[in-house]
Amino acid sequence: MFFSAPQLKRDPLGCPERFSMTKTIPCTRCGKLTAYSEADYAALAAKGGPVLPGGVCFPCAWRDPALQPALRDYTERKKAETVRRARELLARPLEFIDRLVERFR
């Protein structure tokens, strides 16, 4: 019987298994694109994202009429947040530079 050291058990990218990304699955609707598990979508919902069914990719979810309003609201909210952050950075460039310098210290 052969016993390997646990530090040698790695995923194809070379990361230890406990640190590897969550497993993705093919979409149950189109079968072509990558879909995510229920746990991944629950994490997205916990961050304020839409509640999506597991096993469905984003393009298929976007085409689903029942999921479109939640996805539209989420994308509009994220876009507004990005624009707000960009405007803040442009309005106060010195604060941005100070934060950037502090990050690299």
Side-chain angles (χ1 to χ4, degrees):
M1 187 176 276
F2 177 76
F3 295 100
S4 67
Q7 66 269 23
L8 299 178
K9 295 180 181 175
R10 300 183 177 277
D11 71 353
L13 295 176
C15 297
E17 287 182 15
R18 65 181 181 274
F19 295 121
S20 63
M21 294 175 51
T22 56
K23 305 296 181 212
T24 57
I25 53 177
C27 179
T28 56
R29 294 184 185 180
C30 68
K32 298 176 187 174
L33 300 175
T34 302
Y36 297 95
S37 66
E38 294 281 344
D40 294 327
Y41 284 141
L44 177 67
K47 294 178 184 177
V51 177
L52 299 174
V56 178
C57 63
F58 278 108
C60 287
W62 189 260
R63 283 185 237 124
D64 188 348
L67 299 174
Q68 276 184 357
L71 284 169
R72 285 187 200 280
D73 291 342
Y74 177 68
T75 55
E76 289 297 322
R77 214 176 10 185
K78 291 301 277 187
K79 186 171 37 173
E81 181 181 329
T82 303
V83 169
R84 181 186 55 77
R85 284 183 173 170
R87 286 183 178 162
E88 286 177 1
L89 289 176
L90 291 174
R92 295 183 223 112
L94 294 178
E95 289 179 13
F96 171 70
I97 293 170
D98 290 341
R99 280 187 275 165
L100 187 66
V101 170
E102 286 294 323
R103 183 176 286 173
F104 289 113
R105 284 187 184 178

